[in-house]
């Protein structure tokens, strides 16, 4: 590849610089975390191939036109400060949810991709590109809210690409120069949030797990507050955060006073929302410049999040999208907000009233107010989370439902579902009863059957009994239709019924087909059960190599039992794949995913947990 002209001869030429990032993606795709998953590795290599095609087309154009591509090295404070803040968040969050550390190679790969795409797109449009830390905030901010499962990870690159392209192509003139309209990560998160909600495909992502895992670190609010002070000191965005938090405080208190219940379930200001009002909505380039505009901007974000949560809950969509839906809309309003602020200030000046504090002094005054509000929220328990927050307790909502308070019964049913998803077998059994009865919520036989299945899967005898009873009635038809509609969990449960012969005639071959479909649909426990089928030869010839492949797939998808099972197989060398290091890695993943027996396995134990506890 002939190097393009460069005004700094000692630097790597532009085209070779772009090629180096593409090559780094290819090398990274051979890391165990990526290479162990065929589809994940293909996502990396396919994306690198697409970038290479763009690079070759650019090289042909440069050769044809004689253009001289160059780049300047100019790191901007706003970018490397955000990099440091994001790194601190990831480090603390990952300590309590190790999936963050486990997926670090995937984040690095996205950074390589963002750099390569950014420079290629820029050089297509003009001759000079600026090398700095710009891609880091796009990637790191995006991954704080949403990332896709391994089998769908190519969509993560599309997600990042939307942010990079939006920053380059969607611009307007502001303060005499062209600048991007939208916060890049907020734009891509908004677009994908709308698409995922519309297509009901949240299951392809870790979105819910990300939002809920932020509650694990015990002092996460304090960390975000302290990191936010750094950003606020340097870039004067305190009024945005203060106004957003104040709006949420007022709305929460008013809602609880009027209805007697809580609006949010996990906290008065969920951690992911608290993160959003510090790092998502405070981008200096896409927020108002003037004080009044900042106050309105932040206040509207708080109101927007509050309203979005209620609307999503009403329509039965995942509520974690609440903090992602209003930022681009607010970005479109910043010039109008600045003009409004200027008009109001001019009116006050005409009355002889002026604001005498400098912008820096105003920001420090706002920081003082914000710190005071944070202390009040912390000391009064307003920022309580988890079991410390009444709104997350089943008994609170059950009592509120008995008293017929505003939407309490509907919320009680929702909380049962959330507690079930968190691993409570009793909550799964109760949610199955609620969904089957149809009194507190519209009757949902699919949710009922799947909840009984989860309770059974976690070893609750009543859950197994209810599942068998359900299967003997409408279960086969309900699960079959839901499976045809793309619900992997229903495929898995119908497969377990065929495998055990409970409620239906035993059929190992049909069970195998259903486990395979559930795995293909992203129900990772189904991958583990498919691995068991290959291991013991149920419904298919025994094939230890394919068993390990499917256990690995389930493990990479986040199924702890699959991680434990494949760790034991690697330890014992089943299928000729003895690998102590990989076994240790998989066992640690199982532990991090909450399987206690993987954290301290009994000496000499070789029994592996099965993917189902069906009697």
């Amino acid at each position: 590849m002939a190097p393009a002209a460069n005004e700094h001869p000692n630097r790597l030429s532009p085209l070779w610089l772009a090629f180096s990032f593409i090559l780094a993606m290819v090398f990274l795709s051979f890391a165990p975390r990526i290479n162990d998953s065929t589809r994940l590795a293909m996502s990396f290599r396919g994306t690198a191939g697409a970038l290479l095609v763009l690079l070759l087309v650019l090289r042909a154009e440069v050769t044809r036109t004689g253009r001289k591509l160059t780049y300047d090295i100019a790191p901007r404070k706003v970018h490397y400060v955000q990099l440091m803040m994001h790194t601190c968040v990831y480090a603390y969050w990952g300590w309590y949810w190790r999936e963050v550390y486990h997926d670090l190679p995937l984040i690095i790969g996205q950074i390589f991709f963002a750099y390569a795409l950014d420079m290629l797109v820029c050089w297509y449009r003009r001759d000079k590109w600026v090398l700095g830390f710009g891609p880091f905030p796009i990637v790191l901010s995006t991954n704080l809210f949403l990332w896709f499962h391994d089998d769908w990870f190519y969509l993560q690159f599309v997600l990042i690409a939307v942010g990079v392209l939006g920053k380059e192509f969607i611009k307007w003139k502001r303060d005499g120069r062209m600048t991007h309209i939208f916060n890049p990560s907020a734009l891509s998160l908004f677009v994908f949030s709308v698409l995922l909600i519309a297509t009901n495909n949240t299951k392809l992502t870790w979105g819910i797990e990300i939002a809920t895992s932020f509650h694990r670190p015990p002092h996460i609010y304090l960390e975000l507050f302290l990191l936010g002070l750094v950003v606020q000191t340097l870039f004067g965005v305190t009024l945005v955060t203060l106004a957003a938090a104040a709006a949420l405080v007022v709305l929460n208190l008013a809602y609880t006073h009027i209805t007697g219940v809580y609006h949010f379930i996990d906290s008065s200001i969920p951690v992911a929302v608290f993160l959003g009002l510090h790092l998502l909505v405070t981008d200096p380039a896409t927020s108002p410049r003037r004080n009044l505009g900042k106050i309105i901007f932040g206040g509207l974000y708080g109101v927007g999040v509050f309203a979005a949560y209620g609307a999503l809950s009403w329509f039965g969509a995942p509520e974690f999208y609440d903090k992602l839906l209003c930022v681009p809309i607010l970005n479109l309003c910043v010039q109008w907000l600045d003009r409004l602020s200027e008009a109001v200030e001019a009116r006050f000046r005409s009355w002889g009233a002026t604001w005498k504090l400098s912008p820096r002094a105003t920001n420090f005054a706002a920081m003082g107010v914000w710190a005071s509000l944070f202390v009040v929220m912390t000391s009064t328990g307003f920022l309580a989370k988890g079991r410390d927050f009444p709104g997350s307790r089943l008994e609170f909502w059950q009592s509120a439902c008995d008293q017929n308070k505003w939407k309490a019964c509907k919320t009680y049913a929702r909380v049962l579902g959330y507690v079930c998803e968190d691993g409570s077998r009793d909550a799964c059994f109760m949610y199955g009863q609620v969904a089957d009865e149809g009194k507190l919520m519209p009757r949902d036989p699919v949710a009922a059957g799947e909840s009984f299945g989860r309770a059974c899967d976690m070893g609750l005898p009543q859950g197994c009994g209810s599942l068998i009873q359900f299967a003997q009635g409408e279960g086969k038809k309900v699960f079959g239709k839901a499976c045809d509609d793309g619900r992997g969990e229903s495929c898995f449960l119908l497969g377990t019924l065929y495998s055990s012969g409970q409620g239906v005639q035993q059929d190992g071959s049909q069970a195998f087909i259903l486990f395979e479909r559930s795995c293909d649909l992203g129900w990772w426990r189904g991958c583990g059960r498919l691995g068991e089928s290959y291991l013991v030869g149920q419904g298919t010839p025994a094939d230890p190599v394919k068993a390990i492949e499917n256990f690995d797939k389930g493990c990479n998808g986040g199924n702890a039992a699959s991680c434990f099972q494949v760790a034991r197989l690697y330890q014992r060398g089943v299928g000729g794949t003895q690998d102590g290091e990989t076994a240790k890695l998989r066992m640690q993943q199982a532990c991090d995913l909450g399987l206690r027996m993987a954290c301290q396995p009994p000496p000499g134990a070789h029994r592996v947990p099965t993917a189902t506890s069906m009697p």
Side-chain angles (χ1 to χ4, degrees), residues 483-494:
C483 179
D484 291 339
D485 290 340
R487 289 188 65 91
E489 185 174 6
S490 287
C491 297
F492 167 75
L493 287 171
L494 188 55

Side-chain angles (χ1 to χ4, degrees), residues 39 151 519-520 524 527 548-557:
R39 292 190 181 183
D151 281 359
C519 181
D520 290 340
W524 309 116
C527 299
I548 290 174
E549 178 182 326
N550 282 282
F551 283 135
D552 271 330
K553 185 174 182 179
C555 180
N556 289 330

Side-chain angles (χ1 to χ4, degrees), residues 508-569:
S509 297
Q510 184 64 25
F512 173 82
I513 292 171
L514 289 164
F515 291 143
E516 188 173 41
R517 176 157 173 75
S518 74
C519 181
D520 290 340
L521 288 170
W523 186 252
W524 309 116
R525 292 185 67 77
C527 299
R529 192 61 181 85
L530 184 63
E532 287 184 25
S533 297
Y534 276 118
L535 191 62
V536 302
Q538 184 184 42
T540 185
D543 189 333
V545 174
K546 287 187 177 180
I548 290 174
E549 178 182 326
N550 282 282
F551 283 135
D552 271 330
K553 185 174 182 179
C555 180
N556 289 330
N559 178 235
S562 294
C563 295
F564 187 92
Q565 288 168 307
V566 78
R568 290 299 193 191
L569 296 181

Side-chain angles (χ1 to χ4, degrees), residues 358-404:
S358 66
R360 184 175 179 82
T362 300
N363 185 58
F364 278 118
M367 289 177 66
V369 176
W370 167 231
S372 300
L373 178 60
F374 179 77
V375 169
V376 171
M377 290 191 296
T378 304
S379 60
T380 58
F382 186 82
L383 291 181
K385 56 186 175 66
R387 289 292 299 173
D388 294 331
F389 180 61
S392 66
R393 301 175 191 166
L394 278 174
E395 54 269 24
F396 170 85
W397 290 105
Q398 187 172 22
S399 175
C401 178
D402 293 340
Q403 299 173 51
N404 201 28

